[in-house]
Amino acid sequence: MTPTETAAPPHGEQDTGTRAKAAAVVADLADRLADPRSVAERAAAPDNTRPLSDGTRLPVWHPVSITDGYPALALLYAELAHTDAAYRKVAHGHLRQAAAEAAQTQTAGLYVGPFALAFAASRAVRRPGEYASVLTRLDERAATWVPDWLRPERERIEAGRAGTDFMTYDVVTGVTGVGRHLLDRDGEHARSALAEILAYLVALTRPLAGAHAALPGWWVRHAPDGQMVDGYEGHGNLGLAHGIAGPLALLALAWHAGVRVPGQDEAMASIADWLLDWHRADEGGAYWPPWLERQEFDTRPAELPRGRSGWCYGVPGTARALQLAGMALDRTDWRDFAVEALRGTLTLTDKRHGAEDAGLCHGWAGLLHLTRLVARDSGDAELADAATRLAQRTLDLYDPEAPFGFRAATLVHHETIDTPGFLEGAAGIALALHAFAEDKPTASGWDAALLVR
């Protein structure tokens, strides 16, 4: 069986009331998000911008984006169309709007640009040949874009220089996310590009030479916020969204699918061992810090910050990547460690999770969905039972007065924004709640965008 296709573990009496409430909220969100024009108008409104700590503000709406754009909405309706065929037309409407603007958007990994459109379109396919033109064209684009994108990295690795960056390798903006899309594509172009990505990720795990030999090959040169800072010595990132857990997940999923390159299993073992080596423990059991500064890496302190319980950083996402690797290579020790880490994390108080909203990225919906995935693939009844509580916590944040039913926290001055999108917004929350209400694996595979399946 593939990940998330195992039988659901037995658990106590199902809370049918919570599932029914989740289904009702999903239906409401599906109504609110159906019209592309009205959604875009509200999301792009002048009074709806994202504040940054330096006082600047950024737009919320990015039309050709899985994060906050038409592809994010298409993902929702592509999934809902498996239970109500009428939603196929709605998904197509959002994809059509994205396609109209894709030519003006540069490629920036899976989440922004043409590959965001391609991923959403691939999840909307229900019959052979649907969206074949756009998907084939972007497979061809990947075959040239990936080698060009990775050429400087290969030169850096061969020269033994430390310091990669998020934009090259991660799930959101780098080749790992694109690789997950390509894993589900057939054809020479897609397979060629995927093999190039896997070979690069393997190379990224090899020790550097010379003065940088002590650092892992995936050491990042810039600060965790993406900024280049004079005198900064880089960091090692352990998260799923921007850290080495993302490549681990892709290597594992590809291995499980029979797509393999030389050294792939050794690369997974290298990453998994590093994650296990850098875990710490507190009252909630094992956990990972979000990243390691150079001083922390050199001195190996006994205590490191736990951080939030999210998909992007923290135990849920990193544990899922470790579980996938354990499933791929039949390493029960990795699988068991991942399950125990998540079980311990779920004993923490709500405040200790650090979730400020209901979003997929670092909110309650993400914790809900990851818990369900880990539970399903482990058969762990304790995790399965926790899902109802996490779903209720997500539903507690539903606000019928909000334009999109939920508001996203910005973590700046306690401001919130109205976002219809995938990572922090209503579409992603609706997808997680729909999966909970249906109590089975996702039909369209939308969660592949998170590298969790």
Side-chain angles (χ1 to χ4, degrees), residues 2 45 54 67 79 111 125 144-145 161 174 215 217 230 235 241 301 321 343 361 379 383 391 396 426 430 435 444 451:
T2 59
D54 63 3
T67 306
E79 178 68 17
Y111 273 68
V125 170
T144 56
W145 175 79
R161 298 194 306 272
L215 296 173
D230 290 342
H235 74 281
R343 286 172 104 186
C361 185
L383 292 180
D396 287 344
S444 65
L451 269 291

Side-chain angles (χ1 to χ4, degrees), residues 70-71 74-75 90-100 116-117 120-122 124 131:
Y70 297 115
L75 284 179
V90 185
H92 182 73
H94 284 288
L95 288 171
R96 185 171 58 246
Q97 290 297 120
L117 170 61
S122 72
Y131 303 110

Side-chain angles (χ1 to χ4, degrees), residues 18 31 44 54 98 106 108 174 179 187 205 236 245 281 340 421 447:
T18 303
D31 287 342
D54 63 3
Q106 292 186 341
T205 68
E340 288 301 318
D447 43 357

Side-chain angles (χ1 to χ4, degrees), residues 64-436:
V64 192
S65 167
I66 291 176
T67 306
D68 282 299
Y70 297 115
L73 283 299
L75 284 179
L76 171 60
Y77 295 103
E79 178 68 17
L80 295 180
H82 284 267
T83 53
D84 184 344
Y87 285 123
R88 293 186 66 202
K89 183 177 180 180
V90 185
H92 182 73
H94 284 288
L95 288 171
R96 185 171 58 246
Q97 290 297 120
E101 303 199 37
Q104 288 75 46
T105 307
Q106 292 186 341
T107 300
L110 180 65
Y111 273 68
V112 177
F115 287 108
L117 170 61
F119 180 80
S122 72
R123 302 300 147 172
V125 170
R126 296 296 299 277
R127 294 191 297 262
E130 280 189 309
Y131 303 110
S133 177
V134 64
L135 289 170
T136 301
R137 186 169 64 252
L138 287 169
D139 288 346
E140 295 171 354
R141 180 169 181 169
T144 56
W145 175 79
V146 168
D148 289 346
W149 187 251
L150 292 179
R151 187 170 294 111
E153 270 292 272
R154 291 199 172 279
E155 294 173 354
R156 178 190 65 79
I157 291 170
E158 290 174 4
R161 298 194 306 272
T164 184
D165 59 68
F166 294 163
M167 290 289 288
T168 301
Y169 80 86
D170 77 4
V171 170
V172 177
T173 58
V175 294
T176 294
V178 174
R180 183 61 189 89
H181 166 66
L182 296 172
L183 181 60
D184 289 340
R185 298 286 300 146
D186 293 322
E188 178 183 354
H189 294 295
R191 290 302 178 188
S192 171
L194 177 58
E196 184 93 12
I197 290 170
L198 295 176
Y200 161 65
L201 296 179
V202 169
L204 199 64
T205 68
R206 297 190 180 117
L208 295 166
H212 301 297
L215 296 173
W218 56 84
W219 192 259
V220 179
R221 59 180 176 159
H222 52 70
D225 65 359
Q227 299 298 310
M228 296 297 295
V229 181
D230 290 342
Y232 186 70
E233 296 187 85
H235 74 281
N237 199 292
L238 293 88
L240 182 55
H242 301 299
I244 196 58
L248 176 61
L250 178 60
L251 291 168
L253 290 164
W255 183 276
H256 198 286
V259 181
R260 302 171 185 179
V261 298
Q264 190 168 333
D265 51 349
E266 292 93 340
M268 282 188 275
S270 177
I271 298 170
D273 288 345
W274 194 77
L275 291 174
L276 292 173
D277 186 42
W278 281 102
H279 88 274
R280 295 294 185 266
D282 59 13
E283 74 276 16
Y287 70 90
W288 290 276
W291 54 75
L292 301 167
E293 303 284 0
R294 182 60 190 264
Q295 183 180 9
E296 293 169 329
F297 182 82
D298 290 341
T299 61
R300 298 186 62 88
E303 296 183 5
L304 289 165
R306 172 182 273 267
R308 292 185 288 195
S309 302
W311 164 74
C312 51
Y313 289 105
V315 168
T318 303
R320 177 58 174 170
L322 188 62
Q323 183 190 38
L324 290 172
M327 293 166 64
L329 296 183
D330 194 22
R331 290 288 301 264
T332 57
D333 53 336
W334 297 351
R335 299 199 304 266
D336 291 347
F337 192 95
V339 170
E340 288 301 318
L342 185 54
R343 286 172 104 186
T345 290
L346 293 179
T347 68
L348 296 172
T349 64
D350 284 359
K351 185 175 182 180
R352 289 279 276 124
H353 288 307
E356 300 289 338
D357 59 26
L360 277 180
C361 185
H362 44 262
W364 292 105
L367 186 52
L368 163 65
H369 196 65
L370 284 161
T371 297
R372 292 187 64 253
L373 291 176
V374 175
R376 183 174 291 274
D377 284 335
S378 65
D380 190 273
E382 183 177 325
L383 292 180
D385 286 342
T388 296
R389 176 175 62 84
L390 296 171
Q392 187 57 60
R393 191 66 188 87
T394 305
L395 291 166
D396 287 344
L397 295 174
Y398 170 65
D399 179 3
E401 299 301 317
F404 306 129
F406 290 89
R407 288 193 164 98
T410 65
L411 306 183
V412 177
H413 307 306
H414 302 289
E415 285 192 45
T416 60
I417 53 175
D418 295 314
T419 166
F422 179 70
L423 279 184
E424 297 178 272
I429 298 166
L431 284 164
L433 288 174
H434 179 70
F436 167 77

